[in-house]
Amino acid sequence: MDGSVKAFGARFVGRVDAEKLQFAVDYVGFGECGLAFETICDYIVEEDVPISEEEYRLALEIYHQMHMKWGTHSIEHMKALIVREQGAQA
């Protein structure tokens, strides 16, 4: 799971404040993958970062794989941040 959370965080370099993102990813090194993932998601929501449908699906996948009981609020709000890729038809 460590690698998945780090890779998820890396997707948001340049879209989430770099210092905050590093702070969140550093939790992985302390064996706190769940806290790292939750913190990344919180930052995405707090900063209204546009995300792709793929990124949202990846967030859901990680969330379910970790059997998380917390962070539901951020995951639900991330859905509203999904932007359609240019060229996609409604």
Side-chain angles (χ1 to χ4, degrees):
M1 230 27 326
D2 295 6
S4 295
V5 172
K6 286 182 177 182
F8 180 74
R11 289 175 163 265
F12 298 96
V13 170
R15 291 189 280 165
V16 171
D17 177 80
E19 190 172 315
K20 286 182 171 182
L21 192 56
Q22 188 59 54
F23 175 79
V25 171
D26 284 347
Y27 280 124
V28 172
F30 297 109
E32 295 287 348
C33 288
L35 183 56
F37 177 70
E38 180 182 10
T39 304
I40 293 166
C41 292
D42 287 347
Y43 290 152
I44 291 167
V45 170
E46 289 169 7
E47 297 182 21
D48 290 324
V49 175
I51 64 172
S52 68
E53 289 183 34
E54 177 186 355
E55 289 166 337
Y56 180 72
R57 282 193 301 271
L58 181 57
L60 282 177
E61 183 179 311
I62 292 170
Y63 180 82
H64 291 299
Q65 285 178 353
M66 296 180 85
H67 305 287
M68 294 182 72
K69 305 271 189 264
W70 61 91
T72 305
H73 174 78
S74 290
I75 292 292
E76 290 172 357
H77 282 84
M78 285 173 67
K79 190 170 187 174
L81 298 173
I82 297 172
V83 294
R84 291 192 181 268
E85 295 178 24
Q86 290 186 351
Q89 295 181 351

